[in-house]
């Protein structure tokens, strides 16, 4: 397997295919780089170099007890991009991975990043607080913590229904997509998944969004039941210096998988623009 050992000894697994301008894919919770299969194959065929890593504690990377915070996630990406000597790269993140992208670009991406994409991303901040009164109550994230900590196999199976919008009337439910999501989730460490809930819900990306200069595309499904569009994508684009928004009526949180043809075409248009 292709791995790098970052400064604290953690091994980060990655896939690196093809040549050409690099596109780096950042996955969501609690998944792995395999969640980008539809995009990796599409962009490899279009002549791009495609890279996807497994976040620490997720997938095939080390199941560390520590380091499950957004600054460490971004620092791990910085070590990977330096090791692979990536320049003029496009960084694309889904959900938690969108937060990882904007933190990496803001803190480490100077001179290496051409563009960024935030898909169904948790930016700018999810949790409800005095400064974010219309956010999601902490009790919702406590329920995700409880389910992950005490009954992860069943909880993860159930989570696929709202994730892909398979709980909507008339939905074309794919058991294979549900099974693949569960497979990826159960590959990772329960400690990493538990700690990451705080990361994706409580990390404030406002300053990151405001400081990034490169073009950023924000893509979000309007029927996202996991990361609601009005609280995230609709706000994030207003904080960007060079942002563009595409919102999709009826699309779910997991739209890169269920709506891959549409998402891939819009990604390609943005990358080539």
């Amino acid at each position: 397997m292709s791995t790098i050992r970052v400064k604290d000894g953690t091994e980060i697994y990655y896939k690196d295919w093809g040549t050409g301008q690099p596109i780096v894919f950042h996955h969501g919770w609690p998944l792995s780089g395999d969640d980008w299969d539809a995009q990796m194959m599409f962009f490899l065929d279009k002549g791009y170099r495609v890279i996807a890593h497994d976040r620490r504690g997720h997938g095939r990377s080390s199941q560390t007890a520590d380091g499950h915070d957004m600054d460490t996630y971004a620092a791990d990406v910085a070590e990977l991009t330096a090791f692979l000597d990536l320049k003029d790269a496009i960084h694309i993140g889904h959900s938690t991975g969108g937060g990882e992208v904007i933190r990496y670009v803001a803190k480490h991406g100077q001179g290496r990043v051409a563009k960024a994409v935030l898909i169904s991303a948790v930016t700018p901040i999810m949790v409800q607080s005095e400064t974010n009164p219309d956010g999601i109550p902490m009790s919702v994230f406590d329920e995700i913590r409880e389910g992950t900590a005490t009954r992860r196999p069943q909880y993860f199976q159930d989570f696929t229904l709202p994730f892909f919008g398979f709980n909507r009337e008339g939905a074309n439910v794919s058991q294979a997509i549900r099974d693949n999501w569960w497979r990826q989730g159960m590959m990772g460490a329960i400690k990493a998944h538990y700690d990451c809930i705080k990361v994706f819900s409580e990390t404030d990306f406002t300053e990151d969004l405001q400081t990034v200069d490169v073009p950023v595309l924000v893509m979000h499904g309007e029927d996202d039941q996991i990361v609601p569009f009005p609280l995230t994508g609709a706000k994030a684009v207003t904080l960007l210096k060079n942002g563009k928004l595409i919102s999709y009526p009826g699309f779910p949180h997991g739209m890169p998988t269920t709506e891959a043809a549409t998402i891939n075409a819009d990604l390609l248009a943005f990358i080539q623009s």
Side-chain angles (χ1 to χ4, degrees), residues 231-253:
L231 306 180
T232 53
K235 289 184 177 182
V237 73
T238 67
L239 298 169
L240 291 161
K241 295 177 182 178
N242 192 3
K244 175 185 177 181
L245 172 66
I246 306 177
S247 64
Y248 301 88
F251 280 20
H253 187 63

Side-chain angles (χ1 to χ4, degrees), residues 214-273:
V214 300
V216 180
L217 175 62
V218 177
M219 309 170 81
H220 218 109
E222 294 180 14
D223 192 34
D224 190 326
Q225 300 173 64
I226 308 300
V227 179
F229 170 63
L231 306 180
T232 53
K235 289 184 177 182
V237 73
T238 67
L239 298 169
L240 291 161
K241 295 177 182 178
N242 192 3
K244 175 185 177 181
L245 172 66
I246 306 177
S247 64
Y248 301 88
F251 280 20
H253 187 63
M255 65 185 188
T257 297
T258 60
E259 307 292 344
T262 298
I263 298 305
N264 291 350
D266 288 345
L267 283 171
L268 182 63
F270 174 70
I271 289 168
Q272 293 182 339
S273 66

Side-chain angles (χ1 to χ4, degrees), residues 71-103:
D71 285 339
T72 302
Y73 293 164
D76 289 345
V77 173
E79 291 199 55
L80 176 62
T81 57
F83 174 76
L84 298 176
D85 195 26
L86 302 183
K87 297 182 175 70
D88 195 35
I90 296 116
H91 285 261
I92 300 175
H94 177 252
S95 196
T96 304
E100 183 178 274
V101 164
I102 208 69
R103 178 62 53 89

